[in-house]
Amino acid sequence: MMDFRSIGDDMGQVIQFVSKSERERVRLIQEARAIYDSIFPPADPSGEPQGNATIGRAANGDAGNLA
């Protein structure tokens, strides 16, 4: 048996339509942000300088496959 009082609890919710192109735009932005963060890691919140390992890899031409 279904309790119809619980259905009334959900009546205040709003369903928002999101187009396929908008979902694809959000996905592409998230992917680009992940790639950017992998190339340029976010600054260390402790304020200490990062080691030379990251700089050395970029100088040796190991930038990954960005194609």
Side-chain angles (χ1 to χ4, degrees), residues 14-65:
V14 176
I15 298 173
Q16 181 179 3
F17 176 76
V18 179
S19 68
K20 196 176 206 180
S21 62
E22 178 65 15
R23 286 188 314 224
E24 180 68 4
R25 185 183 78 80
V26 169
R27 186 190 68 78
L28 290 172
I29 290 170
Q30 290 172 340
E31 183 178 339
R33 194 170 287 149
I35 292 170
Y36 182 87
D37 286 344
S38 71
I39 296 170
F40 305 105
D44 187 14
S46 66
E48 297 177 15
Q50 293 182 356
N52 291 335
T54 305
I55 296 170
R57 270 187 299 182
N60 291 336
D62 182 21
N65 185 3

